[in-house]
Amino acid sequence: MHIFNDIVGQEKAISFLENILEHGTASHAYLFTGPDGVGKRTTAVSVAAALNCAQGGCGSCAVCMKIKNGAHPDVESIKPAGNSLKIEQIREIGQSIGLKPFEGKRKVYIIEDAHLMTVEAANALLKNLEEPPAYAAFILTAAGADSLLPTIRSRCQEVVFRAVPPRVIQSVLLAAGAEDDAAEIATALSGGSVGKAKRLVIGGAAGDIRAIILDRAAEISEGSIIDVFAAKDALLPLAKEKDKGDGSSIEAEALAILGSWYRDLIVLRETGNESLLINKDRASQLTLAAERISSANAAAALDILARAGDALRTNANKDLVLEEALLAINCMPPTVARLEG
Ligand SMILES: [Zn+2]
């Protein structure tokens, strides 16, 4: 089906969906799980188009275009308002679901980041999932199935999306005209997300986040608390560019990029081999910083960042999670290297 042509590296999920769509056996609720930015949302929109397109998902007719552009009255995307999906948002579904589709065949509700539903919202959704009208379909997206109430999970069929393999991402970037080095760096930082890798190469918010964080990376561990807040404030103007549609947050990207910095420091200290760096374009800056941090402290920083990454999934206040992680790194005891120096 042409409608799925843009989705890279999810062959298993797509062939499963194509199969049920072709046979007209789509159930009324699906749960797409997988890491941020691997195509869950794009696929959900494509399924909505396939359910409504007269050709079963041609990708180019007026119906498909309208759905892709978010302008179709029968396809509704519900995403977290602020840091959670609230009951008022789910109640709106309850109000509209009883009305037959305005112009399409199916009414499709796409609920993004469903793991951010409050308990009240989840219970309200449950009522809609229990006995939906035949024309209604739900597609929920979430990082993992276990972050949802079992009662919600049991009413949805799960479709698993995986991190896209690095070689696939790299080939997409090279095909889009990226230089070898840039493609390699972006792939390493992408966390398996084609969308994020593309944005790192083409610039935009992801490229800016990388520049902001790496410019200040040394200060975050070596500087004062003022430097930590300055680094965080520098990210603020990007907040409005947030939510480019692949579900990744500025905070998550900042943590991942800082993680690549400490990973590179460990590599430099343990091997001295610049060709193994992720941030090859920052080799000289990394070499200086590597002299001032012990491998143990760099590993401790990685640990802090990993735990913060986990906390982002469940914690409503992403900004606070990032701040705590940066402060924890800043407050680590002086390194052996620093004491010796
Ligand atoms: Zn179409």
Side-chain angles (χ1 to χ4, degrees):
M1 286 177 193
H2 294 297
I3 193 76
F4 294 117
N5 282 357
D6 291 345
I7 298 145
V8 183
Q10 303 297 346
E11 287 74 16
K12 209 172 157 192
I14 299 302
S15 72
F16 168 78
L17 290 167
E18 280 182 333
N19 193 29
I20 52 163
L21 287 164
E22 268 161 22
H23 292 91
T25 52
S27 82
H28 70 267
Y30 289 94
L31 168 61
F32 291 180
T33 57
D36 284 346
V38 295
K40 301 191 297 290
R41 198 189 73 96
T42 313
T43 307
V45 173
S46 301
V47 168
L51 287 171
N52 278 296
C53 165
Q55 288 93 256
C58 69
S60 50
C61 72
V63 173
C64 284
M65 294 313 290
K66 218 169 173 180
I67 291 175
K68 273 205 237 173
N69 295 328
H72 196 287
D74 296 316
V75 177
E76 216 176 299
S77 274
I78 296 121
K79 33 184 131 179
N83 294 311
S84 62
L85 265 163
K86 300 184 174 65
I87 185 162
E88 300 80 53
Q89 297 177 275
I90 302 297
R91 275 199 189 124
E92 282 170 26
I93 299 178
Q95 284 154 12
S96 74
I97 198 168
L99 305 168
K100 292 215 170 79
F102 290 108
E103 49 177 82
K105 296 188 268 182
R106 301 287 295 267
K107 216 165 193 166
V108 185
Y109 296 95
I110 299 169
I111 301 175
E112 295 178 39
D113 289 329
H115 54 284
L116 294 178
M117 272 189 292
T118 63
V119 175
E120 298 77 42
N123 284 325
L125 179 64
L126 209 50
K127 293 202 184 80
N128 295 306
L129 287 177
E130 269 162 2
E131 274 177 43
Y135 52 75
F138 289 86
I139 304 172
L140 282 59
T141 73
D146 45 1
S147 52
L148 290 170
L149 289 180
T151 41
I152 297 270
R153 251 156 62 192
S154 67
R155 282 176 178 77
C156 299
Q157 182 162 14
E158 186 179 356
V159 181
V160 177
F161 287 67
R162 307 203 174 279
V164 182
R167 60 183 164 76
V168 175
I169 298 182
Q170 213 160 340
S171 64
V172 169
L173 296 180
L174 293 173
E179 304 282 335
D180 281 355
D181 270 6
E184 205 181 316
I185 293 172
T187 301
L189 288 173
S190 69
S193 157
V194 177
K196 190 168 156 192
K198 273 186 179 166
R199 284 187 285 113
L200 277 162
V201 170
I202 329 166
D208 293 344
I209 295 172
R210 179 170 182 265
I212 287 170
I213 291 293
L214 294 186
D215 284 350
R216 293 164 180 79
E219 287 165 10
I220 287 169
S221 56
E222 298 169 22
S224 69
I225 284 181
I226 308 277
D227 293 318
V228 170
F229 284 109
K232 217 179 60 103
D233 285 349
L235 291 171
L236 281 181
L238 297 174
K240 59 179 180 303
E241 277 200 58
K242 206 155 103 171
D243 193 13
K244 289 286 182 189
D246 66 2
S248 63
S249 66
I250 284 196
E251 290 82 4
E253 291 191 14
L255 290 173
I257 287 162
L258 199 54
S260 74
W261 169 265
Y262 288 106
R263 176 255 181 220
D264 279 353
L265 289 178
I266 294 174
V267 166
L268 270 188
R269 287 191 58 88
E270 301 301 317
T271 73
N273 186 347
E274 286 187 14
S275 73
L276 299 176
L277 295 178
I278 291 175
N279 300 292
K280 287 198 179 69
D281 54 338
R282 300 277 180 155
S284 56
Q285 196 189 337
L286 279 160
T287 307
L288 282 175
E291 289 166 8
R292 301 194 299 265
I293 192 167
S294 66
S295 297
N297 262 20
L302 273 180
D303 217 46
I304 291 170
L305 293 168
R307 265 182 281 133
D310 289 343
L312 276 188
R313 297 210 175 288
T314 48
N315 197 307
N317 197 334
K318 291 184 164 48
D319 184 63
L320 194 63
V321 172
L322 175 64
E323 183 174 304
E324 280 175 1
L326 297 184
L327 287 174
I329 290 173
N330 186 260
C331 294
M332 287 191 310
T335 68
V336 180
R338 241 198 277 179
L339 287 176
E340 282 169 355

